[in-house]
Amino acid sequence: MSATSNNNGATPLLAATGLSKLFGGVVALDKLDLQVFANQILGLIGPNGSGKTTFFNVTTGIYPVSAGRVVFDGQDITNLSTQAVYRAGISRTFQRSRLSLALSIFDNIMIGNHKRLNQGLWFNLARRDAFRRQFEESFEEARELVQVFDAPLADRMFEAIGGFPMIDRRRIEICRALVSRPKLLLLDEPSAGMTQEETTELMDDILEVKDRFQGLTIVIIEHEMGVIERITERCVVLNFGQKISEGAYQEIARDRLVQEAYLGIE
Amino acid sequence: MTAPQDPRSLAWTIGAAIVVVLYVILLLGVESQLEIAGLLAAGIAAVAVAARFGVVARLGRFLGERDGLLNALVVAGTLAVTAFFHGDAFVLLLVATVIIYFIACLGLNLQFGYSGVLNFAGAAFFGIGCYTAAVMTVHTAVPHLLILFAGGAMAAAIGSILILPVLRTYSHYSAVITIAFGLLFKIFLEVNDALGGPQGLRVKGMNVLGWKFNSNIDIGGIEVSFYVNYIVLGLVLLALAFTFVRRVERSWIGLNLDAVRLDETAAACFGLNITRWKITAFTLGNFLIGLAGALFAMMLGFIAPTNFTFGDSLILVSIVLLGGIGNPWGLVVATAILIVVPEKLQAIQEYRFLLFAAMVILILLFRPEGLLPRSLRTYFPGWRAK
């Protein structure tokens, strides 16, 4: 296989080996071998139902695996709880935005900051001065993060996110995933439900974030081939839960198997 | 930074508070059913008109940034009403009952309003507090103030057993489990002779260092009803409970509870231990409910299983729904309405459940967030970003 040769034998940050997931009789992931290398943006593509989101859900512990192993940063994270996966340094966004629309921008971002905030009852209720310091520090941090995406948004931190358009919700969802400084960010179709211009804007933001956070690795599920071509360094193509191709965008676009899967060429 | 000074709004607020206190005194004072009905109608109309001209919104904004002022006004208002009716046991019992129910509903609000754990056994946890007080005041020499906390602790401890099946089920099913628990609790009391069976138990009145709460006070020849004792103690406990619930809300704990209620999967993906936060909310909430129950039992002096029916649990839930889910201030308004109106308007006494049901349905249809909807979280009122 060409997987390791692409990266001169470097150890991958995330490696799935023989990963399978069955829902009853339906095979969502079929002995998948997939590697994600540090500091890269990996595009995960494939037709609907090919297992992309299932791969995210299995990796982050939402579903238990049926067979196989997932290793992240030297640690076996197969079947760890979602909480443990998050603590290990993997954050994600969701295909259908899962923000809490009734809460403010700041609150939503702080949900993502859970592991870095003091969650003790005594600290939160009795030591209000100490809590206030942590609150103010976290606020500054969150505001700086939002500013990377959109400066005007950073002045509206205490407004309910439900009142903002889709692109802002996506931005905040990415901020929520980034605020805890994860090593690996999983983006599940961030352009869904947005216009062409909004998508371009959001991708600029993502590239800027990648520049700012040294050492951030991203896996992005995306249907817009223009987006994939522009921002990814490597792609993995899934079909029926199997990897059918991988490599740089230009390589996989020429791959006959990929064309068949997407265009239905016999 | 603190909230900006605003003398005109302050004058308006104090004026509004005086009007509200006078209205409450009038409502509690009149006896004729027709006059009461007229007053209620006038009250609703006045609020509607004030809301129409933006007065309510303006007061809300002003007070929203000045927590202390609102707290002080409510305490002062309650004391003013109490002083006015100092000899009227019936009215003072009502005031004390509203305060105690308010404490219990703060607990329910922690559970249901914040973490989303439904509890249809509120009256049972209230009853656990009552029975703890009954047994401990009669059979032990434990100081009575400690017994209040023992009532809360007992409710919290029994709640931590009930939470186990609740955590294993989702939404409606967990609600059904709490309903079953509430029914079992009443039946258990009725068949248990050690706890007085259906006849119930006597409870000793509160006695703090020789200060007997259940005897009337004589101040310079003026006879003051003993309920004043309970109103004062109730207000102190209420202030503590209210501060506690407010701090929970305005901290990462409150944020966690909201996150668990709104989207468990997303919360779990960011490291929140769903079980831990549900247990936290349920236990703290039951503590407040049990504490309120213990005080209530000492005030009444006598308790029986019929005080803790499923219907009573429903009243507690209706208060939270009506007041504004998650908004402690909404609870004041709703508790006052649900406790005082049926007592004053005897004509509807028999139909009160019918009326409550109709109110809850109307609220859920037309104002699903309650009479006073919860506002967004402010961690420190009046705080502004630099």
Side-chain angles (χ1 to χ4, degrees):
Chain A
M1 297 294 286
S2 59
T4 45
S5 63
N6 273 350
N7 289 275
N8 312 319
T11 332
L13 178 67
L14 181 85
T17 29
L19 194 64
S20 293
K21 177 65 198 171
L22 291 93
F23 293 105
V26 181
V27 184
L29 292 177
D30 189 2
K31 301 188 201 73
L32 178 67
D33 292 320
L34 195 154
Q35 285 139 331
V36 183
F37 295 94
N39 297 316
Q40 279 196 347
I41 299 185
L42 174 80
L44 193 55
I45 58 180
N48 284 329
S50 58
K52 306 179 298 290
T53 297
T54 304
F55 173 71
F56 278 12
N57 286 341
V58 166
T59 306
T60 53
I62 290 180
Y63 300 143
V65 310
S66 303
R69 246 157 64 84
V70 186
V71 175
F72 172 69
D73 203 17
Q75 183 192 354
D76 189 339
I77 61 162
T78 321
N79 286 337
L80 282 189
S81 67
T82 48
Q83 288 87 354
V85 171
Y86 162 77
R87 277 194 299 274
I90 302 181
S91 281
R92 67 173 293 179
T93 67
F94 298 87
Q95 193 170 2
R96 277 189 299 164
S97 165
R98 296 194 85 135
L99 292 166
S100 298
L101 297 182
L103 302 183
S104 66
I105 291 182
F106 176 72
D107 279 1
N108 271 291
I109 296 176
M110 282 306 110
I111 289 172
N113 212 13
H114 188 74
K115 68 177 173 188
R116 296 168 73 225
L117 300 175
N118 188 335
Q119 305 292 350
L121 271 182
W122 186 253
F123 172 83
N124 274 274
L125 304 183
R127 298 184 52 215
R128 290 301 278 180
D129 286 335
F131 174 78
R132 192 184 184 113
R133 278 195 294 280
Q134 189 170 67
F135 161 75
E136 281 173 347
E137 280 163 20
S138 312
F139 176 78
E140 278 314 314
E141 214 176 311
R143 186 160 71 173
E144 274 169 33
L145 185 59
V146 175
Q147 257 159 2
V148 175
F149 287 83
D150 189 50
L153 209 53
D155 294 328
R156 302 173 68 185
M157 297 288 278
F158 290 100
E159 291 178 37
I161 188 66
F164 287 87
M166 189 51 94
I167 181 165
D168 289 335
R169 295 188 195 178
R170 294 279 178 201
R171 285 169 166 150
I172 298 309
E173 217 186 345
I174 298 174
C175 288
R176 178 175 71 175
L178 280 174
V179 71
S180 63
R181 305 292 158 107
K183 295 188 191 107
L184 177 63
L185 175 64
L186 307 177
L187 298 174
D188 197 346
E189 248 192 272
S191 75
M194 296 201 305
T195 64
Q196 199 76 51
E197 293 77 45
E198 287 175 330
T199 305
T200 311
E201 228 180 293
L202 187 67
M203 294 307 147
D204 292 339
D205 297 339
I206 291 174
L207 288 173
E208 193 181 337
V209 160
K210 174 96 173 21
D211 265 356
R212 292 241 188 156
F213 289 79
Q214 291 300 313
L216 180 66
T217 308
I218 300 176
V219 179
I220 180 169
I221 295 179
E222 193 46 75
H223 281 300
E224 290 282 332
M225 286 307 137
V227 168
I228 290 289
E229 180 174 13
R230 185 170 152 227
I231 74 165
T232 65
E233 282 130 297
R234 220 177 116 243
C235 293
V236 168
V237 190
L238 299 186
N239 198 19
F240 297 112
Q242 292 173 325
K243 180 168 71 183
I244 57 169
S245 181
E246 67 180 316
Y249 177 78
Q250 269 69 24
E251 290 167 45
I252 58 136
R254 282 194 300 270
D255 192 316
R256 196 169 157 68
L257 276 172
V258 177
Q259 289 173 357
E260 277 175 21
Y262 266 97
L263 305 171
I265 299 168
E266 286 300 312
Chain B
M1 274 174 77
T2 51
Q5 295 298 317
D6 188 352
R8 276 193 65 208
S9 293
L10 182 66
W12 269 91
T13 307
I14 292 175
I18 292 172
V19 170
V20 170
V21 168
L22 291 177
Y23 177 76
V24 170
I25 288 179
L26 205 57
L27 183 65
L28 290 171
V30 296
E31 298 287 344
S32 141
Q33 295 293 297
L34 210 61
E35 282 170 21
I36 294 170
L39 268 176
L40 287 173
I44 294 169
V47 171
V49 169
R52 178 72 188 74
F53 289 102
V55 178
V56 174
R58 185 170 169 189
L59 288 178
R61 261 199 314 280
F62 181 73
L63 287 171
E65 295 196 337
R66 292 163 183 81
D67 241 15
L69 177 64
L70 185 55
N71 295 352
L73 284 176
V74 170
V75 172
T78 312
L79 290 176
V81 172
T82 307
F84 186 86
F85 290 106
H86 57 84
D88 189 333
F90 173 73
V91 169
L92 293 181
L93 172 61
L94 264 184
V95 173
T97 307
V98 168
I99 293 172
I100 291 171
Y101 266 65
F102 186 14
I103 298 175
C105 288
L106 280 173
L108 207 62
N109 183 53
L110 262 181
Q111 303 174 332
F112 172 53
Y114 296 160
S115 78
V117 177
L118 284 163
N119 181 359
F120 283 101
F125 290 105
F126 195 76
I128 292 169
C130 287
Y131 272 85
T132 308
V135 171
M136 288 183 76
T137 51
V138 174
H139 296 289
T140 69
V142 178
H144 286 178
L145 280 177
L146 282 183
I147 290 179
L148 291 180
F149 291 93
M154 189 60 119
I158 293 176
S160 63
I161 300 169
L162 179 66
I163 190 76
L164 296 175
V166 167
L167 287 172
R168 298 182 69 92
T169 47
Y170 286 100
S171 65
H172 311 77
Y173 301 99
S174 56
V176 170
I177 289 177
T178 63
I179 293 174
F181 175 78
L183 297 176
L184 279 175
F185 176 75
K186 181 166 176 275
I187 295 169
F188 168 78
L189 292 177
E190 278 170 347
V191 298
N192 192 315
D193 286 335
L195 291 175
Q199 274 78 44
L201 284 180
R202 194 176 68 82
V203 194
K204 276 195 195 166
M206 172 73 76
N207 182 341
V208 180
L209 303 172
W211 173 18
K212 290 198 174 61
F213 274 50
N214 288 36
S215 4
N216 290 346
I217 316 158
D218 184 71
I219 303 174
I222 303 166
E223 175 96 343
V224 175
S225 162
F226 74 87
Y227 287 115
V228 171
N229 294 321
Y230 285 98
I231 290 176
V232 172
L233 179 61
L235 277 177
V236 171
L237 291 174
L238 177 59
L240 291 174
F242 192 86
T243 310
F244 175 74
V245 170
R246 266 295 193 218
R247 284 193 177 184
V248 168
E249 190 203 340
R250 291 171 172 169
S251 69
W252 308 134
I253 312 280
L255 176 60
N256 293 337
L257 300 183
D258 279 335
V260 166
R261 181 185 80 251
L262 293 166
D263 190 338
E264 281 189 25
T265 306
C269 282
F270 293 104
L272 276 82
N273 184 338
I274 309 296
T275 309
R276 173 182 167 193
W277 297 114
K278 281 188 176 175
I279 291 178
T280 303
F282 199 65
T283 309
L284 294 177
N286 284 333
F287 180 83
L288 291 181
I289 300 174
L291 177 89
L295 183 64
F296 191 66
M298 291 189 201
M299 181 176 78
L300 287 194
F302 190 81
I303 47 163
T306 46
N307 299 41
F308 315 112
T309 60
F310 180 53
D312 295 292
S313 294
L314 285 183
I315 291 186
L316 293 174
V317 174
S318 330
I319 290 176
V320 178
L321 284 176
L322 209 61
I325 302 162
N327 180 6
W329 282 119
L331 298 177
V332 192
V333 179
T335 315
I337 294 175
L338 260 63
I339 304 293
V340 175
V341 170
E343 288 298 333
K344 287 303 289 185
L345 213 53
Q346 293 291 336
I348 64 155
Q349 188 59 277
E350 308 255 310
Y351 302 99
R352 64 195 167 118
F353 279 110
L354 192 70
L355 199 77
F356 292 167
M359 274 167 91
V360 169
I361 290 171
L362 287 176
I363 280 285
L364 291 179
L365 272 178
F366 296 108
R367 211 178 154 91
E369 289 175 330
L371 289 173
L372 294 179
R374 177 177 175 190
S375 48
L376 285 171
R377 187 189 328 279
T378 42
Y379 289 84
F380 295 94
W383 184 86
R384 302 265 196 298
K386 286 181 204 81

